[in-house]
Amino acid sequence: LTPCMMMFELSVAVRRELSISRTRLTHARSFSSILSFETFKSSKAVEPPTKSLVCLHGILGSKKNWRTPCNMFTKSFPQFHAVAIDHRGHGLSGSTQPGQHTVESCANDVLRTLKHHDLPAVFRDAQPTILCGHSYSGKVVLSVLDVLQRENSTLPEHVWILDSMPGHYDLQQDASHQNSVSGIIGTIMGLPAEFESKAWVEDNLKSKGIPKSVVDWLSTNIIPVDNSKAFRYSFDIKTVKPLFDDFCHLSMWDFLETYNGSANIHFIRAGKNSAWNQETLDRFADLSAKNNKIHLYTMPHVGHWLHAEDPKGVLDIIATHSGVKA
């Protein structure tokens, strides 16, 4: 993933609310081992639901990034209920979950949350029909498969990884960009935990050379502090940094090259993301030739925020190759 594409292609579609009748349940567990989640179903939902869609966001994102796709998918396929989840230290989830702040811990958080009694039984009683992860969560969903296989548990039917490569993240390349993810995380760590206004923190970040588009995207995470006139970011940057560090140093190539599970693993590549070099593409071609459970698709017209730029296109690919029919 190129640093400038990894998180910050701000799109109106991320924030768009569709005029769709739905039942939505949001849970915040700031000091709990359960992550915050939001569920979605169509006004014409099949009851009881028979299929489930689980969606996970990227670093410094939140479950809100998946609202439009979840609404669209459940409207088109009313047999599905969907849930979008905030990772530890993101959105409305706290940072007190068990274990170190790693990709695998995030996978265990998700599995534990999916068993929570407030979720519909379709999530609690079986593995997801479709499990989706964007960017950072590409490695999280692969880690979910790894954890389940080691436990000899059943697997999701289909796993979808949106514009995320399984190898190590090139920090040297990252540092060479103005939109360096590690640099932005470092800059935010240097800010006070609370600040007087949105304008103050925006001016501060711009003065450090962070592009306006990035500052605007980060500002969607600014929330008021309870019982105060101050503001803060909804993410916990002290949790985000070790999560990102672990992501950078973790490679899932070995897992993929020895994978023998039942779940189909689908990657969608954003064609405008130049980090998908020929070496990576050749490796995927070899992998797919050896294992018919692993697939790579390309959307040539989109960048890293593909599910915001073209949610219908992404969902059409997911539905078609997951065998979903209305």
Side-chain angles (χ1 to χ4, degrees), residues 97 109 169-170 178 198 211 217 268:
Q97 291 76 17
D109 293 344
Y169 185 77
D170 190 339
Q178 185 183 27
K198 181 178 176 181
W217 186 85
I268 303 181

Side-chain angles (χ1 to χ4, degrees), residues 194-195 221-234:
E194 299 178 3
F195 33 86
N221 294 289
I222 293 175
I223 59 175
V225 177
D226 291 342
N227 303 314
S228 170
K229 294 182 179 180
F231 294 84
R232 66 177 179 85
Y233 282 117
S234 59

Side-chain angles (χ1 to χ4, degrees), residues 3-4 7-8 171 174-185:
C4 60
M7 304 178 298
F8 304 118
L171 284 170
D174 178 84
S176 69
H177 287 260
Q178 185 183 27
N179 291 350
S180 163
V181 179
S182 55
I184 290 167
I185 290 173

Side-chain angles (χ1 to χ4, degrees), residues 106-153:
C106 287
N108 282 313
D109 293 344
V110 170
L111 289 169
R112 187 169 55 251
T113 299
L114 290 175
K115 299 300 181 185
H116 192 263
H117 60 80
D118 281 343
L119 274 169
V122 69
F123 299 105
R124 302 193 314 268
D125 294 346
Q127 298 299 347
T129 309
I130 300 173
L131 173 62
C132 291
H134 174 241
S135 194
Y136 176 88
S137 284
K139 289 181 182 177
V140 175
V141 299
L142 290 177
S143 292
V144 167
L145 291 183
D146 190 24
V147 168
L148 292 173
Q149 282 195 296
R150 283 187 270 126
E151 294 175 348
N152 293 316
S153 298

